[in-house]
Amino acid sequence: MLDFTILTENWDMYAEGFKVTLLCSLLALIGSFLLGTILAVFRIAPIKPLNWIGTIYVEFFRNIPLLIIAFTIFVGLPTLGISFDGFQAGTIALIIYTSAFIAEAIRAGILAVHKGQTEAARSSGLTYIETMRYVILPQAIKIVIPPLGNQFINLVKNSSILSVIAAGELMYQADLISLRTYVVFDVYIIVALLYLVITLPLSYGVNYLEKRLAKSN
Amino acid sequence: MDFAGAYTPDHLKFLLEGFLVTLKVAGIAIVLSFIIGGLIGTIRYAKIPILSQILAILVELIRNVPLLLIIFFTFFALPEVGIKLTPTMAAITALTIFESAMLSEVIRSGLNSIHKGQLEAGRSSGLSYVQTLWHIVLPQALRRMVPPIVSQFISLLKDTSLAVVISLSELMHNGSVIYAQPGGDKFIMPIFILIAGMYFVVNYALSIIARRLELKTT
Amino acid sequence: MFKRKKGLFSILLLAFMAVFMLAACGDKDKTTGGKDKDVLQTIKDNDKIVFGVKNDSNLFGLKNPSTGDIEGFDIDIAKEIAKSILGDASKVEFKEVTSKTRIPMLQNGDIDAIIATMTISVERKKEVDFSDVYFQAGQSLLVKKGSKIKSIDDIDNSTKVIAVKGSTSAQNIREKAPKAQVLEFENYAEAFTALKAGKGDTLTTDDAILYGMADQDNNYELVGGQFTDEPYGIAAKKGNTKLVEAINKALTEMKDSGRYDEIHKKWIKKD
């Protein structure tokens, strides 16, 4: 049976890891939501160069591994004189990576709001940015919440790769505990349970919202 | 940054060797997880009692933990219960476990998107349940599933980079060998740019193919 | 139309079976190769000995991406052992390991022995069998030249110390300098890159490995002398007394013939 003394004896390290995982996932969610929204607006804006920037960003970062982004920021940029610690580098990498996916989700949300609304708002004298800000985005957000929830789950899971740049999150702490105690199986099972504590409720929440949204349509 | 020093023919060959390992491991895992994910998805769609509930729980658990954890677990923890795998085998196993769970959800929702009337029509024209599923529901569902399945494949290819933590000599690993050389610091950025480029080319090509297929079928 | 689909079905089914049979065969190989058979006998049967070695430790085991060869002290010693056991120094195969992956890879039967800057310790003796000591190292500190840190006593709670996961030095530093913030990385390549990138104030591990780093980049130097004993041993899977004896015999031969000193001189300049 599972030996929970591993959890109680190393509670400080597990708790620290849990805290860091939550913190960097939350920061990354906020960051990638902001960046993702800007990118989504870029992609559908009636200005060609902005479209290109948005498209290139999304296509590039969706198609390369998160690990390479994290390494580039952590050990690559310092060779050019820009330096971050493991937590900062990891969180920035998560934002860069996840914002590409969130941009696509938000773009889909905006496109789902009827085109006629944009025209109506524009003809009533609102500028493009005002139309976006007051008419389209508020409606799009509702459609976008479930995919955003999914991205948050992905963020929590993906934050585990911060362990290879010594960011001190859950996976890193588990690694150290197992190397120190020579207990592997139980240490990893407990860390899996700790991840599930965050991700399972989120996953159920997303499912619920998706079903409600499907019904309202 | 020293691009010329980083991109010597020897280094490029060495990186390419690593990328071939990445592609091989990812390729095997793709085939296996398509088969296993397809089976799980179909069993859950058909709502086979008990089996489908057990699978539902398993899928939900696997989908909600990090892949890195599954990789560590397969390589470092499974030996404690007598299952001993080489880095290559462990990487393939971990990727297959994770991606099968992800793909089974894609396939299940694809099957669910086919109107139930079709199933009934098939049954009433004398086909068995399995025949109806195989000849009528699955071919239609597969067509709709192509884009999400391909994007899952892209994820898998990207995720293969994580196997660097269990000493698999894949692309990331070979990249780090190059910049671990004396004076290799100035190779770091060029190597990372090149690795990112290699992933991008393959994955972007895959996503374009997926879009073409999507256009053709809709 | 149905006929064509049937064809497709049978192809899929065949592929499915083939994959599973392959997987099953793979498993069988593993169990027969790994468990009960004596490793020394397997080595003789295969006429090849597989060593787990470092690929990122200059002077001990460093991979040259241009040739694909790994070079260093550990590598030359491994070749001598192959010469003693199999009569030919080229009958070796090297697999790259890290401090974290080496014991699992040995247990998994992926490698026959570990020769990878590995310290003999009481905890590790519970997991593997060690040969005699083949190199005497000691833990030390690597800093950028001009650093405030001159010895282990200069490490306080504002010092960030870089170490490698699964190494004895990561554990030792917590005992010797409990106030330090320790950052642990996957391997030496990443640890040294992190030090050079300014992620920590000092990197701690065995002096032998640190000399290799200082040799690579002369902006870095060792300080504080040896503050632990790190006797290196060659590890074999638990219970393989015959293999360990054969390795010990090889080590003695090497020392008697003067070959050991030659190799030592070739790689280890300081001392």
Side-chain angles (χ1 to χ4, degrees), chain C residues 90-203:
Chain C
S90 66
K91 288 181 176 166
V92 279
E93 188 187 330
F94 297 114
K95 288 205 173 159
E96 297 157 40
V97 301
T98 66
S99 301
K100 205 174 134 196
T101 59
R102 60 192 167 192
I103 292 182
M105 281 173 83
L106 183 70
Q107 313 286 34
N108 296 357
D110 212 20
I111 50 181
D112 299 323
I114 302 169
I115 177 159
T117 63
M118 189 173 184
T119 305
I120 302 172
S121 74
V122 183
E123 284 86 16
R124 285 179 184 156
K125 272 187 182 164
K126 289 178 202 153
E127 313 225 328
V128 298
D129 284 345
F130 279 107
S131 71
D132 296 337
V133 177
Y134 74 96
F135 186 85
Q136 182 64 49
Q139 190 172 346
S140 190
L141 299 170
L142 185 74
V143 295
K144 193 165 190 158
K145 279 181 182 162
S147 162
K148 279 182 291 181
I149 299 167
K150 301 285 177 224
S151 80
I152 184 135
D153 302 323
D154 296 330
I155 292 177
D156 55 29
N157 52 11
S158 68
T159 315
K160 281 187 186 153
V161 181
I162 294 173
V164 168
K165 283 179 191 166
S167 65
T168 43
S169 23
Q171 258 139 312
N172 292 337
I173 194 70
R174 285 198 167 78
E175 287 159 25
K176 305 265 171 187
K179 282 189 250 161
Q181 304 173 41
V182 184
L183 299 176
E184 294 185 38
F185 290 88
E186 300 293 316
N187 55 47
Y188 289 105
E190 277 167 33
F192 190 33
T193 313
L195 179 72
K196 286 188 284 189
K199 310 297 183 192
D201 305 298
T202 175
L203 192 165

Side-chain angles (χ1 to χ4, degrees), chain A residues 93-105:
Chain A
L94 283 171
I95 291 174
I96 290 176
Y97 183 73
T98 312
S99 57
F101 292 89
I102 289 188
E104 280 306 272

Side-chain angles (χ1 to χ4, degrees), chain A residues 24-133:
Chain A
C24 76
S25 308
L26 272 174
L27 285 175
L29 181 70
I30 296 166
S32 47
F33 177 68
L34 294 176
L35 186 55
T37 309
I38 295 170
L39 286 165
V41 173
F42 269 28
R43 287 204 70 180
I44 51 163
I47 304 162
K48 273 267 159 349
L50 290 186
N51 293 168
W52 294 332
I53 295 172
T55 308
I56 291 170
Y57 183 98
V58 168
E59 290 297 352
F60 184 70
F61 287 108
R62 272 205 310 187
N63 284 311
I64 64 172
L66 171 59
L67 196 63
I68 189 83
I69 306 176
F71 270 152
T72 304
I73 296 173
F74 189 66
V75 298
L77 288 187
T79 63
L80 309 176
I82 309 159
S83 197
F84 300 101
D85 70 25
F87 180 81
Q88 294 164 339
T91 310
I92 295 170
L94 283 171
I95 291 174
I96 290 176
Y97 183 73
T98 312
S99 57
F101 292 89
I102 289 188
E104 280 306 272
I106 292 176
R107 188 175 76 117
I110 295 173
L111 293 179
V113 178
H114 199 269
K115 262 243 149 84
Q117 299 211 19
T118 319
E119 282 151 25
R122 291 303 298 276
S123 61
S124 70
L126 291 178
T127 66
Y128 180 75
I129 292 176
E130 283 169 339
T131 311
M132 274 293 155
R133 166 78 182 76

Side-chain angles (χ1 to χ4, degrees), chain C residues 3-56:
Chain C
K3 224 172 232 165
R4 216 189 64 209
K5 289 262 166 60
K6 275 229 174 84
L8 192 74
F9 179 63
S10 40
I11 288 169
L12 271 174
L13 201 70
L14 266 177
F16 187 65
M17 278 159 60
V19 166
F20 268 77
M21 264 151 65
L22 268 176
C25 293
D27 281 347
K28 218 173 279 164
D29 284 350
K30 204 132 297 116
T31 44
T32 50
K35 254 185 191 161
D36 305 304
K37 231 176 176 182
D38 181 58
V39 177
L40 184 61
Q41 196 53 50
T42 320
I43 290 169
K44 284 181 174 158
D45 291 347
N46 297 340
D47 204 21
K48 189 180 73 180
I49 175 163
V50 184
F51 281 103
V53 298
K54 290 279 174 68
N55 66 9
D56 60 355

Side-chain angles (χ1 to χ4, degrees), chain C residues 251-263:
Chain C
L251 287 173
T252 318
E253 282 170 10
M254 249 180 271
K255 281 179 180 158
D256 291 345
S257 70
R259 193 62 194 119
Y260 178 89
D261 288 333
E262 281 174 39
I263 296 173

Side-chain angles (χ1 to χ4, degrees), chain B residues 188-199:
Chain B
I188 294 180
M189 280 307 275
I191 292 290
F192 283 162
I193 291 169
L194 187 61
I195 292 178
M198 288 164 107
Y199 272 107

Side-chain angles (χ1 to χ4, degrees), chain B residues 131-163:
Chain B
Q131 281 173 325
T132 318
L133 215 57
W134 185 257
H135 295 299
I136 296 174
V137 181
L138 218 65
Q140 298 181 60
L142 265 178
R143 235 167 277 154
R144 291 191 193 176
M145 283 185 270
V146 166
I149 287 175
V150 174
S151 72
Q152 203 54 50
F153 286 174
I154 293 174
S155 297
L156 196 151
L157 197 58
K158 291 189 290 178
D159 288 342
T160 308
S161 64
L162 295 177

